[in-house]
Amino acid sequence: MHDIRFIRENPAAFDEGLGRRGLPSMSRQILDIDQAWRDATKKLQDMQSLRNDASKKIGQAKAQKNEAEAQRLMADVARLKDEIPATELRVRESEEALNELLSTIPNLPAADVPDGPDETANKETRRVGTPRSTNFAAKQHFDLGEALKLMDFDAASKMSGARFVLLRGQLARLERAIANFMLDLHTETFGYQEVVPPFLVRDQAMFGTAQLPKFRDDQFGTTNGYWLIPTAEVPLTNQVRETILDEAQLPMRFTAWTPCFRSEAGAAGKDTRGMIRLHQFSKVELVSITTPENSDAEHDRMTGCAEEVLKRLGLSFRTMVLSTGDMGFAARKTFDIEVWLPGQNAFREISSCSNCGDFQARRMDARYRPAGDTKGTRFVHTLNGSGLAVGRTLVAVLENYQQADGSIAIPDVLKSYMGGVEVIAAHGA
């Protein structure tokens, strides 16, 4: 959500930020509604003041036996009593219209975000490792998994339809091993607090992290007012909803391994085979709550934590800063980490790490009290990132550690989580 005071004071800068995202100017429309709200609010306050003043004077007039004046004042109070509800309604309607409009406008990009219409304008910031090559034709993960008889899309489709997968045996264990490795790294090395959050949330939680109202069609909702979480970002960030923290509590860093549910609206024809784009997948999420002064450094730190997972797995990757046209709705700046997949002969996204500034905090009313300030509060800054998408990491391990006979070597850092298993053999479960 945007700060209406900023828009009042900086309409040109606000429109410039929207223009960088390829959106039309909106400050005039916003300020017109804001002015209507301010005018109605002022009128309501004046009417309430007149009513209260007249009510006091009625008693004085009666005490002075000035019945004519008392009757006149009583008529004024009655008139105001009839007019005030309509003015209260105008205040509510204009306030709701303003909030509804502001809730559909994306965050403004940071100054150092590259301008561009889409992913073609993203900029590579670094590349780590050498893409793995083989002396045989590398297969894609679904060919490998199905040949092992441990990855079953047909069985999942019979139960649930397209974009679901069923993992068995050592591949199921490998996915669990990857998630446990990530959680241990983020908690023990990087100091994130592990959380097991609810997987069902209500409207206000989805609104707080900006999945609602604009992206309602991308979500899975229940018939009784709940939403299946599209990412653990939602419950992790909403922990500070309607809260005033002390600065000494910041930064707060949380991690969780959860299932994620997405309708993939608009994804027709994209990654129709395999595990890259599913309706249900698991992810280890990272969330940070910090001060405005420290959010840029926290963003770099979070991205580095996600990158470390790939470094320890021995997977080549590149980190991209997303352009204004490719960033998510709530982000002011995003780094995407793309892992090398030899079966596709391409880099594919495995993590997005975003700094949302105070955009989500305003929607959640999440604040902190600066050290030494006994009265004032400021909005926190929120950040989120995948540390990493577990299913896509499984894909990357399968494709990068495949062997000529179709077996999968286990990366060294995962062997202890696999009970000492070093190879998932080609003969299956």
Side-chain angles (χ1 to χ4, degrees):
M1 192 78 88
H2 292 283
D3 181 1
I4 187 61
R5 288 176 296 180
F6 174 83
I7 301 173
R8 290 172 190 156
E9 297 168 4
N10 305 277
F14 181 76
D15 286 339
E16 180 186 5
L18 293 182
R20 293 181 62 204
R21 273 193 175 256
L23 297 173
S25 297
M26 301 187 70
S27 65
R28 186 68 271 155
Q29 180 184 1
I30 294 167
L31 293 176
D32 284 346
I33 300 173
D34 176 53
Q35 190 61 54
W37 172 77
R38 296 170 79 182
D39 290 345
T41 300
K42 175 67 165 55
K43 183 177 181 180
L44 178 62
Q45 291 170 342
D46 289 345
M47 294 170 73
Q48 290 170 333
S49 179
L50 286 171
R51 180 193 60 187
N52 295 339
D53 187 52
S55 297
K56 291 178 184 178
K57 289 180 178 179
I58 289 171
Q60 296 171 358
K62 288 190 173 184
Q64 296 169 1
K65 301 190 184 304
N66 188 343
E67 191 60 29
E69 179 64 8
Q71 290 297 321
R72 185 188 69 79
L73 290 169
M74 289 171 68
D76 286 345
V77 169
R79 176 180 55 80
L80 289 167
K81 185 177 180 181
D82 289 339
E83 293 177 358
I84 282 176
T87 306
E88 289 175 331
L89 179 60
R90 285 199 296 273
V91 170
R92 288 196 302 271
E93 288 177 341
S94 55
E95 183 177 27
E96 288 171 0
L98 180 62
N99 288 335
E100 183 177 349
L101 179 58
L102 289 176
S103 72
T104 63
I105 301 173
N107 204 350
L108 301 183
D112 59 348
V113 170
D115 290 338
D118 50 36
E119 68 276 4
T120 60
N122 296 346
K123 303 294 184 184
E124 184 175 321
T125 62
R126 56 188 165 271
R127 189 175 294 211
V128 176
T130 301
R132 200 175 289 256
S133 60
T134 62
N135 55 7
F136 56 90
K139 295 179 180 179
Q140 295 200 53
H141 67 282
F142 44 81
D143 289 326
L144 292 163
E146 289 177 329
L148 291 168
K149 303 188 186 309
L150 301 177
M151 183 181 292
D152 195 333
F153 295 98
D154 290 337
S157 178
K158 290 175 184 177
M159 290 183 272
S160 306
R163 296 192 187 276
F164 288 92
V165 67
L166 188 150
L167 299 178
R168 297 191 182 94
Q170 295 290 21
L171 282 195
R173 183 170 187 174
L174 181 57
E175 177 164 294
R176 175 162 52 95
I178 289 168
N180 284 329
F181 160 65
M182 292 178 185
L183 287 174
D184 286 349
L185 179 65
H186 294 314
T187 57
E188 296 172 8
T189 302
F190 298 127
Y192 287 84
Q193 182 183 49
E194 185 174 354
V195 177
V196 178
F199 302 159
L200 290 166
V201 296
R202 294 198 180 275
D203 285 5
Q204 62 266 31
M206 295 284 275
F207 178 85
T209 46
Q211 278 78 23
L212 293 181
K214 190 171 180 64
F215 302 102
R216 181 176 295 270
D217 291 343
D218 294 329
Q219 317 305 328
F220 284 114
T222 70
T223 58
N224 59 344
Y226 291 96
W227 298 93
L228 291 163
I229 60 170
T231 163
E233 169 200 344
V234 178
L236 291 182
T237 309
N238 271 277
Q239 289 179 96
V240 297
R241 178 183 182 83
E242 297 175 355
T243 300
I244 298 177
L245 305 164
D246 289 327
E247 185 173 355
Q249 296 175 262
L250 303 177
M252 303 174 87
R253 299 181 178 121
F254 304 111
T255 187
W257 171 33
T258 69
C260 304
F261 304 91
R262 298 183 186 177
S263 72
E264 293 294 345
K270 297 179 181 178
D271 299 304
T272 53
R273 287 200 68 190
M275 293 180 61
I276 294 293
R277 199 179 298 271
L278 299 174
H279 290 311
Q280 175 189 318
F281 59 96
S282 71
K283 182 155 65 84
V284 172
E285 185 73 359
L286 306 175
V287 161
S288 294
I289 314 295
T290 191
T291 63
E293 293 78 10
N294 292 325
S295 67
D296 287 341
E298 186 69 18
H299 193 197
D300 290 337
R301 182 188 189 276
M302 175 181 285
T303 305
C305 294
E307 290 175 337
E308 185 63 25
V309 175
L310 295 174
K311 290 177 182 177
R312 298 198 181 195
L313 287 170
L315 299 174
S316 176
F317 64 90
R318 66 181 185 182
T319 300
M320 315 287 288
V321 58
L322 299 193
S323 72
T324 54
D326 199 32
M327 286 196 310
F329 181 85
R332 67 187 301 269
K333 185 176 182 179
T334 298
F335 292 114
D336 265 13
I337 305 171
E338 299 178 349
V339 68
W340 176 253
L341 298 183
Q344 293 192 22
N345 195 37
F347 285 100
R348 295 300 304 269
E349 177 199 338
I350 198 167
S351 172
S352 282
C353 296
S354 296
N355 184 349
C356 298
D358 64 6
F359 186 82
Q360 292 177 327
R362 290 181 180 278
R363 299 169 78 100
M364 296 186 299
D365 193 21
R367 303 169 181 261
Y368 76 100
R369 184 174 289 105
D373 190 336
T374 58
K375 296 182 180 179
T377 61
R378 302 173 69 190
F379 287 104
V380 298
H381 276 201
T382 63
L383 303 95
N384 63 81
S386 305
L388 305 163
V390 179
R392 292 194 180 193
T393 306
L394 175 65
V395 168
V397 169
L398 292 178
E399 293 198 11
N400 281 276
Y401 284 88
Q402 62 180 295
Q403 302 184 107
D405 63 354
S407 62
I408 310 298
I410 303 300
D412 288 343
V413 294
L414 297 180
K415 288 177 180 176
S416 62
Y417 295 93
M418 292 291 291
V421 172
E422 297 194 355
V423 176
I424 298 178
H427 52 71

